[in-house]
Amino acid sequence: ESQQATIVNLDDHQKAFVEFQSGCAVLHAPVGTGKTLVLAERAAEAIRRDTEPSRILCVTFTNRAAEELRQRIILNCGRGGSQVVVRTFHSLCAWMLRCEAKQIGLHADFVIIDDDDSMEIIRACASKLGIELRQATYEDEAGKAYNAIMDSKLNITDADLTDTAGPAPDNLFRGLPHGWRGIAHAYQEELASYHALDFADLVLGARAMLCARREIRRRWAHRFSMIQVDEMQDTHMSE
């Protein structure tokens, strides 16, 4: 490629962060002060120091933020910038699961369902079980059930992730009220029938895979030489 890197003017604090290339660093910066630009420039600096672009991973939360970061990196890095891996947490987990699907017995063409679809399935499962989920502007029981199911998946401990399929439903949902536990079981069965995963399943599946399969964990541990996480303060322990 003949594209040239863009000249970026940084203040002393930003330069110090960009030039710090070994070890862990946290960048504290208010909104609108150029944090995304600095993360992109740090990736560019790594490439200038001969880091292979494809071994740089940048993770953020929304598709919009990922696209902004991706474009900044391409603009700042010049040649090779498009090879930097930029993904949201969920797309990173989905990518890892698809890459390893054959090894862990997962359908590589699994479907990812969004929050709205999850809510509809939960309502349908509750209806089949004869459970009424009240809906009101101030209290949507389907939403509460959904949040409780997602929390159960995201708060599971590593000790319970001893199989690539994740914890058994009885263990996964044992903390839920009895009625919601039945809905959760039915919900997971419904997803399985469609080879579908929800957003929490993506994170849970990636965690279970890395916890249960040492060779897969070792492979991904050596996949990247630089990892940058945007909006680190918004992560939870599963991520």
PDB file of all heavy atoms in Angstrom, residues 68-88:
ATOM      1  N   GLU A  68     -15.165   3.490  14.410  1.00  0.00           N
ATOM      2  CA  GLU A  68     -14.399   4.724  14.572  1.00  0.00           C
ATOM      3  C   GLU A  68     -12.936   4.409  14.873  1.00  0.00           C
ATOM      4  O   GLU A  68     -12.019   4.995  14.283  1.00  0.00           O
ATOM      5  CB  GLU A  68     -14.980   5.571  15.704  1.00  0.00           C
ATOM      6  CG  GLU A  68     -14.192   6.856  15.935  1.00  0.00           C
ATOM      7  CD  GLU A  68     -14.655   7.629  17.171  1.00  0.00           C
ATOM      8  OE1 GLU A  68     -15.661   7.228  17.792  1.00  0.00           O
ATOM      9  OE2 GLU A  68     -13.986   8.627  17.516  1.00  0.00           O
ATOM     10  N   LEU A  69     -12.708   3.459  15.778  1.00  0.00           N
ATOM     11  CA  LEU A  69     -11.345   3.089  16.126  1.00  0.00           C
ATOM     12  C   LEU A  69     -10.636   2.464  14.932  1.00  0.00           C
ATOM     13  O   LEU A  69      -9.460   2.757  14.666  1.00  0.00           O
ATOM     14  CB  LEU A  69     -11.364   2.115  17.307  1.00  0.00           C
ATOM     15  CG  LEU A  69     -10.023   1.700  17.913  1.00  0.00           C
ATOM     16  CD1 LEU A  69      -9.200   2.927  18.312  1.00  0.00           C
ATOM     17  CD2 LEU A  69     -10.244   0.780  19.103  1.00  0.00           C
ATOM     18  N   ARG A  70     -11.345   1.644  14.190  1.00  0.00           N
ATOM     19  CA  ARG A  70     -10.760   0.999  13.008  1.00  0.00           C
ATOM     20  C   ARG A  70     -10.317   2.047  11.984  1.00  0.00           C
ATOM     21  O   ARG A  70      -9.202   1.975  11.449  1.00  0.00           O
ATOM     22  CB  ARG A  70     -11.781   0.042  12.386  1.00  0.00           C
ATOM     23  CG  ARG A  70     -11.251  -0.726  11.186  1.00  0.00           C
ATOM     24  CD  ARG A  70     -12.308  -1.673  10.631  1.00  0.00           C
ATOM     25  NE  ARG A  70     -12.651  -2.720  11.585  1.00  0.00           N
ATOM     26  CZ  ARG A  70     -13.811  -2.806  12.244  1.00  0.00           C
ATOM     27  NH1 ARG A  70     -14.748  -1.885  12.059  1.00  0.00           N
ATOM     28  NH2 ARG A  70     -14.025  -3.788  13.080  1.00  0.00           N
ATOM     29  N   GLN A  71     -11.167   3.027  11.709  1.00  0.00           N
ATOM     30  CA  GLN A  71     -10.828   4.063  10.743  1.00  0.00           C
ATOM     31  C   GLN A  71      -9.673   4.929  11.230  1.00  0.00           C
ATOM     32  O   GLN A  71      -8.812   5.336  10.436  1.00  0.00           O
ATOM     33  CB  GLN A  71     -12.061   4.925  10.440  1.00  0.00           C
ATOM     34  CG  GLN A  71     -13.171   4.190   9.711  1.00  0.00           C
ATOM     35  CD  GLN A  71     -12.704   3.565   8.403  1.00  0.00           C
ATOM     36  OE1 GLN A  71     -11.919   4.158   7.659  1.00  0.00           O
ATOM     37  NE2 GLN A  71     -13.167   2.356   8.127  1.00  0.00           N
ATOM     38  N   ARG A  72      -9.646   5.216  12.528  1.00  0.00           N
ATOM     39  CA  ARG A  72      -8.531   5.989  13.091  1.00  0.00           C
ATOM     40  C   ARG A  72      -7.218   5.240  12.918  1.00  0.00           C
ATOM     41  O   ARG A  72      -6.178   5.828  12.579  1.00  0.00           O
ATOM     42  CB  ARG A  72      -8.785   6.236  14.582  1.00  0.00           C
ATOM     43  CG  ARG A  72      -9.899   7.206  14.894  1.00  0.00           C
ATOM     44  CD  ARG A  72      -9.399   8.630  14.860  1.00  0.00           C
ATOM     45  NE  ARG A  72     -10.368   9.557  15.416  1.00  0.00           N
ATOM     46  CZ  ARG A  72     -10.199  10.860  15.474  1.00  0.00           C
ATOM     47  NH1 ARG A  72      -9.084  11.391  14.985  1.00  0.00           N
ATOM     48  NH2 ARG A  72     -11.122  11.648  15.992  1.00  0.00           N
ATOM     49  N   ILE A  73      -7.257   3.940  13.158  1.00  0.00           N
ATOM     50  CA  ILE A  73      -6.038   3.136  13.053  1.00  0.00           C
ATOM     51  C   ILE A  73      -5.552   3.102  11.606  1.00  0.00           C
ATOM     52  O   ILE A  73      -4.361   3.268  11.332  1.00  0.00           O
ATOM     53  CB  ILE A  73      -6.291   1.714  13.586  1.00  0.00           C
ATOM     54  CG1 ILE A  73      -6.430   1.756  15.109  1.00  0.00           C
ATOM     55  CG2 ILE A  73      -5.161   0.776  13.190  1.00  0.00           C
ATOM     56  CD1 ILE A  73      -6.861   0.442  15.725  1.00  0.00           C
ATOM     57  N   ILE A  74      -6.467   2.900  10.677  1.00  0.00           N
ATOM     58  CA  ILE A  74      -6.083   2.890   9.262  1.00  0.00           C
ATOM     59  C   ILE A  74      -5.486   4.235   8.861  1.00  0.00           C
ATOM     60  O   ILE A  74      -4.485   4.309   8.141  1.00  0.00           O
ATOM     61  CB  ILE A  74      -7.300   2.543   8.377  1.00  0.00           C
ATOM     62  CG1 ILE A  74      -7.719   1.089   8.613  1.00  0.00           C
ATOM     63  CG2 ILE A  74      -6.986   2.779   6.902  1.00  0.00           C
ATOM     64  CD1 ILE A  74      -9.006   0.699   7.917  1.00  0.00           C
ATOM     65  N   LEU A  75      -6.096   5.324   9.356  1.00  0.00           N
ATOM     66  CA  LEU A  75      -5.615   6.667   9.037  1.00  0.00           C
ATOM     67  C   LEU A  75      -4.239   6.919   9.644  1.00  0.00           C
ATOM     68  O   LEU A  75      -3.347   7.484   9.004  1.00  0.00           O
ATOM     69  CB  LEU A  75      -6.612   7.705   9.562  1.00  0.00           C
ATOM     70  CG  LEU A  75      -6.402   9.165   9.129  1.00  0.00           C
ATOM     71  CD1 LEU A  75      -6.590   9.312   7.630  1.00  0.00           C
ATOM     72  CD2 LEU A  75      -7.359  10.073   9.886  1.00  0.00           C
ATOM     73  N   ASN A  76      -4.041   6.483  10.889  1.00  0.00           N
ATOM     74  CA  ASN A  76      -2.802   6.783  11.607  1.00  0.00           C
ATOM     75  C   ASN A  76      -1.677   5.807  11.301  1.00  0.00           C
ATOM     76  O   ASN A  76      -0.505   6.167  11.394  1.00  0.00           O
ATOM     77  CB  ASN A  76      -3.043   6.768  13.119  1.00  0.00           C
ATOM     78  CG  ASN A  76      -3.922   7.920  13.569  1.00  0.00           C
ATOM     79  OD1 ASN A  76      -4.373   8.710  12.758  1.00  0.00           O
ATOM     80  ND2 ASN A  76      -4.174   8.002  14.863  1.00  0.00           N
ATOM     81  N   CYS A  77      -2.043   4.571  10.964  1.00  0.00           N
ATOM     82  CA  CYS A  77      -1.007   3.554  10.807  1.00  0.00           C
ATOM     83  C   CYS A  77      -0.433   3.486   9.406  1.00  0.00           C
ATOM     84  O   CYS A  77       0.619   2.880   9.206  1.00  0.00           O
ATOM     85  CB  CYS A  77      -1.554   2.174  11.187  1.00  0.00           C
ATOM     86  SG  CYS A  77      -1.938   2.001  12.932  1.00  0.00           S
ATOM     87  N   GLY A  78      -1.143   4.075   8.431  1.00  0.00           N
ATOM     88  CA  GLY A  78      -0.651   3.946   7.072  1.00  0.00           C
ATOM     89  C   GLY A  78      -0.681   2.496   6.636  1.00  0.00           C
ATOM     90  O   GLY A  78      -1.632   1.771   6.906  1.00  0.00           O
ATOM     91  N   ARG A  79       0.361   2.049   5.979  1.00  0.00           N
ATOM     92  CA  ARG A  79       0.411   0.684   5.462  1.00  0.00           C
ATOM     93  C   ARG A  79       0.265  -0.344   6.582  1.00  0.00           C
ATOM     94  O   ARG A  79       0.904  -0.266   7.611  1.00  0.00           O
ATOM     95  CB  ARG A  79       1.741   0.441   4.738  1.00  0.00           C
ATOM     96  CG  ARG A  79       1.798  -0.892   4.014  1.00  0.00           C
ATOM     97  CD  ARG A  79       3.100  -1.042   3.265  1.00  0.00           C
ATOM     98  NE  ARG A  79       4.236  -1.022   4.178  1.00  0.00           N
ATOM     99  CZ  ARG A  79       5.509  -1.107   3.764  1.00  0.00           C
ATOM    100  NH1 ARG A  79       5.758  -1.157   2.467  1.00  0.00           N
ATOM    101  NH2 ARG A  79       6.490  -1.092   4.628  1.00  0.00           N
ATOM    102  N   GLY A  80      -0.594  -1.286   6.393  1.00  0.00           N
ATOM    103  CA  GLY A  80      -0.778  -2.359   7.376  1.00  0.00           C
ATOM    104  C   GLY A  80      -1.852  -2.085   8.403  1.00  0.00           C
ATOM    105  O   GLY A  80      -2.235  -2.984   9.146  1.00  0.00           O
ATOM    106  N   GLY A  81      -2.344  -0.846   8.475  1.00  0.00           N
ATOM    107  CA  GLY A  81      -3.322  -0.512   9.496  1.00  0.00           C
ATOM    108  C   GLY A  81      -4.596  -1.323   9.407  1.00  0.00           C
ATOM    109  O   GLY A  81      -5.222  -1.633  10.425  1.00  0.00           O
ATOM    110  N   SER A  82      -4.967  -1.697   8.184  1.00  0.00           N
ATOM    111  CA  SER A  82      -6.199  -2.462   8.009  1.00  0.00           C
ATOM    112  C   SER A  82      -6.083  -3.885   8.539  1.00  0.00           C
ATOM    113  O   SER A  82      -7.095  -4.579   8.690  1.00  0.00           O
ATOM    114  CB  SER A  82      -6.584  -2.502   6.531  1.00  0.00           C
ATOM    115  OG  SER A  82      -5.563  -3.130   5.770  1.00  0.00           O
ATOM    116  N   GLN A  83      -4.867  -4.332   8.835  1.00  0.00           N
ATOM    117  CA  GLN A  83      -4.673  -5.691   9.357  1.00  0.00           C
ATOM    118  C   GLN A  83      -4.806  -5.765  10.873  1.00  0.00           C
ATOM    119  O   GLN A  83      -4.849  -6.862  11.439  1.00  0.00           O
ATOM    120  CB  GLN A  83      -3.293  -6.204   8.942  1.00  0.00           C
ATOM    121  CG  GLN A  83      -3.096  -6.306   7.438  1.00  0.00           C
ATOM    122  CD  GLN A  83      -1.674  -6.696   7.087  1.00  0.00           C
ATOM    123  OE1 GLN A  83      -1.052  -7.510   7.764  1.00  0.00           O
ATOM    124  NE2 GLN A  83      -1.149  -6.100   6.023  1.00  0.00           N
ATOM    125  N   VAL A  84      -4.843  -4.610  11.544  1.00  0.00           N
ATOM    126  CA  VAL A  84      -5.043  -4.604  12.996  1.00  0.00           C
ATOM    127  C   VAL A  84      -6.436  -5.153  13.291  1.00  0.00           C
ATOM    128  O   VAL A  84      -7.410  -4.810  12.629  1.00  0.00           O
ATOM    129  CB  VAL A  84      -4.892  -3.180  13.567  1.00  0.00           C
ATOM    130  CG1 VAL A  84      -5.230  -3.147  15.056  1.00  0.00           C
ATOM    131  CG2 VAL A  84      -3.464  -2.678  13.329  1.00  0.00           C
ATOM    132  N   VAL A  85      -6.542  -6.032  14.277  1.00  0.00           N
ATOM    133  CA  VAL A  85      -7.819  -6.650  14.628  1.00  0.00           C
ATOM    134  C   VAL A  85      -8.571  -5.709  15.568  1.00  0.00           C
ATOM    135  O   VAL A  85      -8.125  -5.455  16.688  1.00  0.00           O
ATOM    136  CB  VAL A  85      -7.610  -8.016  15.299  1.00  0.00           C
ATOM    137  CG1 VAL A  85      -8.961  -8.638  15.679  1.00  0.00           C
ATOM    138  CG2 VAL A  85      -6.818  -8.946  14.377  1.00  0.00           C
ATOM    139  N   VAL A  86      -9.702  -5.184  15.109  1.00  0.00           N
ATOM    140  CA  VAL A  86     -10.534  -4.280  15.907  1.00  0.00           C
ATOM    141  C   VAL A  86     -11.918  -4.897  16.018  1.00  0.00           C
ATOM    142  O   VAL A  86     -12.594  -5.093  15.005  1.00  0.00           O
ATOM    143  CB  VAL A  86     -10.631  -2.878  15.276  1.00  0.00           C
ATOM    144  CG1 VAL A  86     -11.425  -1.948  16.186  1.00  0.00           C
ATOM    145  CG2 VAL A  86      -9.248  -2.310  15.013  1.00  0.00           C
ATOM    146  N   ARG A  87     -12.348  -5.193  17.237  1.00  0.00           N
ATOM    147  CA  ARG A  87     -13.633  -5.867  17.432  1.00  0.00           C
ATOM    148  C   ARG A  87     -14.315  -5.389  18.706  1.00  0.00           C
ATOM    149  O   ARG A  87     -13.653  -4.883  19.616  1.00  0.00           O
ATOM    150  CB  ARG A  87     -13.434  -7.391  17.504  1.00  0.00           C
ATOM    151  CG  ARG A  87     -13.006  -8.018  16.179  1.00  0.00           C
ATOM    152  CD  ARG A  87     -12.922  -9.523  16.275  1.00  0.00           C
ATOM    153  NE  ARG A  87     -12.608 -10.109  14.979  1.00  0.00           N
ATOM    154  CZ  ARG A  87     -13.499 -10.525  14.103  1.00  0.00           C
ATOM    155  NH1 ARG A  87     -14.798 -10.403  14.376  1.00  0.00           N
ATOM    156  NH2 ARG A  87     -13.150 -11.059  12.956  1.00  0.00           N
ATOM    157  N   THR A  88     -15.616  -5.590  18.750  1.00  0.00           N
ATOM    158  CA  THR A  88     -16.322  -5.425  20.020  1.00  0.00           C
ATOM    159  C   THR A  88     -16.073  -6.682  20.845  1.00  0.00           C
ATOM    160  O   THR A  88     -15.614  -7.707  20.328  1.00  0.00           O
ATOM    161  CB  THR A  88     -17.839  -5.264  19.804  1.00  0.00           C
ATOM    162  OG1 THR A  88     -18.354  -6.487  19.250  1.00  0.00           O
ATOM    163  CG2 THR A  88     -18.147  -4.097  18.869  1.00  0.00           C
TER     164      THR A  88
END
